Amino acid sequence: VHDIAVIEKFLLNECDESFAYGYRGSLLARLAVAALHMDNQGLAKKAIDERRLKHGASMLPMESAALIRGLLRVHDVEFAIKILNDELPIPSDDTPLTDTANKELVKQRALSLASIASRHFFEGEPSMAIKACALLAELGPIVRESGLDTEELKMPWTRIIR
């Protein structure tokens, strides 16, 4: 607990935005995930807010997906859905879905939706799980158009339908 407080103080109060050659946003995402593992939602929210405010242009989809999984573990579904919609949107029509960045965005959105479905089925909350499955179904044509295959997605289909 002491170590995370030291990291929090350093990243949020003592270093500038360009720290670590621009990887401060990634470090803030990792801090937030660690805080969520330790059930420190206050620190996680501060780190997420700082990341979104100062490093929005450099946020990686895999970091957003990790935050969503962490938020689901602490039952903050509303914030997880907000991050899903804000940070993992469906790519716009004016960019090719086969572009590497768009493929990664689609992949992480699909995996995040699968996490939402799986978590809610497991916890006996089928209405949210079904909503996530419906969003996955809507995403299906986009996944196909992006060229993602089953090896890249590694979707937990059997876990979702159990």
Side-chain angles (χ1 to χ4, degrees):
V1 175
H2 173 73
D3 291 343
I4 203 164
V6 171
I7 295 167
E8 170 191 9
K9 182 180 174 195
F10 178 73
L11 286 176
L12 293 175
N13 303 325
E14 296 176 2
C15 70
D16 65 20
E17 293 174 31
S18 63
F19 172 74
Y21 304 103
Y23 287 101
R24 181 174 175 256
S26 291
L27 293 172
L28 287 166
R30 291 167 192 239
L31 174 63
V33 169
L36 290 167
H37 275 287
M38 298 175 77
D39 203 26
N40 187 340
Q41 294 177 24
L43 170 55
K45 180 150 180 26
K46 282 195 279 187
I48 291 168
D49 288 346
E50 178 75 5
R51 172 181 171 264
R52 292 171 66 134
L53 179 68
K54 304 274 176 69
H55 304 283
S58 62
M59 294 188 296
L60 298 175
M62 68 179 183
E63 295 168 352
S64 300
L67 290 172
I68 290 167
R69 289 189 304 274
L71 289 164
L72 292 172
R73 275 192 297 278
V74 298
H75 306 283
D76 195 344
V77 178
E78 189 175 313
F79 198 19
I81 297 295
K82 180 171 178 38
I83 289 178
L84 175 78
N85 292 329
D86 291 351
E87 298 182 20
L88 298 175
I90 295 171
S92 63
D93 291 336
D94 60 340
T95 60
L97 289 172
T98 54
D99 176 72
T100 304
N102 282 341
K103 283 178 79 168
E104 185 64 18
L105 190 64
V106 170
K107 173 184 172 182
Q108 295 302 331
R109 182 176 177 85
L111 293 172
S112 294
L113 286 167
S115 293
I116 293 168
S118 178
R119 166 82 44 190
H120 284 85
F121 276 132
F122 175 76
E123 292 181 357
E125 298 175 14
S127 64
M128 182 53 130
I130 291 168
K131 286 179 189 175
C133 286
L135 290 171
L136 267 172
E138 289 175 19
L139 193 60
I142 295 166
V143 169
R144 282 189 295 283
E145 189 178 329
S146 73
L148 287 167
D149 60 27
T150 55
E151 188 60 33
E152 290 172 289
L153 275 177
K154 297 180 183 162
M155 297 288 286
W157 293 113
T158 53
R159 219 171 79 197
I160 290 172
I161 59 174
R162 284 190 185 154

